[in-house]
Amino acid sequence: MSDLYDETAENFLELASSQRLEILFQLLLKRSTPTFLAKEINSTKQEVHRNFIRLEETGLIEKGTDGKFGLTTFGKTMCTQVPSLVFLSRNRKYFEDHTFENIPTKFIMRTGQLASAHHIKGVSKTLEQWKSIYKNANEYIYEMLSEVPLDLIEPLIKRVKKGIRFQYIFAENIVIPKGRKSLLKKLGFDKLIEKGLVERKMESNVQTVLVLNEKEACVMFPTIDGESDITEMLYSDDPMFHEWCLDYFRYCWYGSDVFKESKLKE
């Protein structure tokens, strides 16, 4: 077993260079030569050539008959793993007091898709971004919530009235603001449900908060004590980030129970 870890450690050592990583991702885009790539990344030919040799000896890249280098299958696959490290490195401080608790392992293994995330901190900033996701929706809005910000109800309903499909998952113990029911009645929420524009489900416990439309998304992971937290969010309009959020929402949606309004207390 130690031999296995030794080999893995050696591979990590080869990736422990910002220039070698840059070379790999440049070659992921297109085949190239050390001389040409040295100009692309603004480095010396000698330094780039040395790193090409190391990467070739490790089996990450190979030289073709045209004289250009490209990634091997091993190299391409390693590149798919690096974004997870990038994501965790960029957001290390955030995860000092936030957790992936209750997130299935198969989704944690895909966190590289979240590498493009922008960290937004402060409840006023998160709510502003939240509203922007509503505003930019043209097809649907999906949400998974542990609490309902009262200020967001009206902007949401306005979008649904324009034909935007709305699906949401509430926690059974969700924090409901006073005045929610009367506001929904005033805005004609029941009619939207009857039209099929609104679908809703319920989970026993929601810790990770999600908000997304068809092209952008945000995720708010719980604090290390298991409490949901809407004062900080990770946001992106990158397709890979969106795919992770959409897949996780669907996973939770199909695993949720029937919605019961009687369980909600203001």
Side-chain angles (χ1 to χ4, degrees), residues 114-132:
L114 304 177
S116 65
H118 300 288
H119 179 210
I120 299 174
K121 187 174 183 178
V123 67
S124 61
K125 291 181 179 179
T126 61
L127 292 180
E128 196 61 36
Q129 187 62 61
W130 202 324
K131 288 180 183 177
S132 179

Side-chain angles (χ1 to χ4, degrees), residues 3 19 54 100 115 133 145 153 168 170 195 202-204 208 211 214 227 229 232 240 246 249 260:
D3 291 341
Q19 185 175 103
R54 288 190 65 166
F100 288 124
I133 292 175
L145 304 177
I153 293 177
Y168 66 93
F170 272 3
K195 289 181 179 180
M202 188 164 272
E203 269 196 11
S204 58
T208 299
V211 184
E214 68 279 358
E227 297 295 325
D229 178 20
E232 296 185 57
M240 296 295 282
L246 179 59
F249 176 82
K260 295 179 181 178

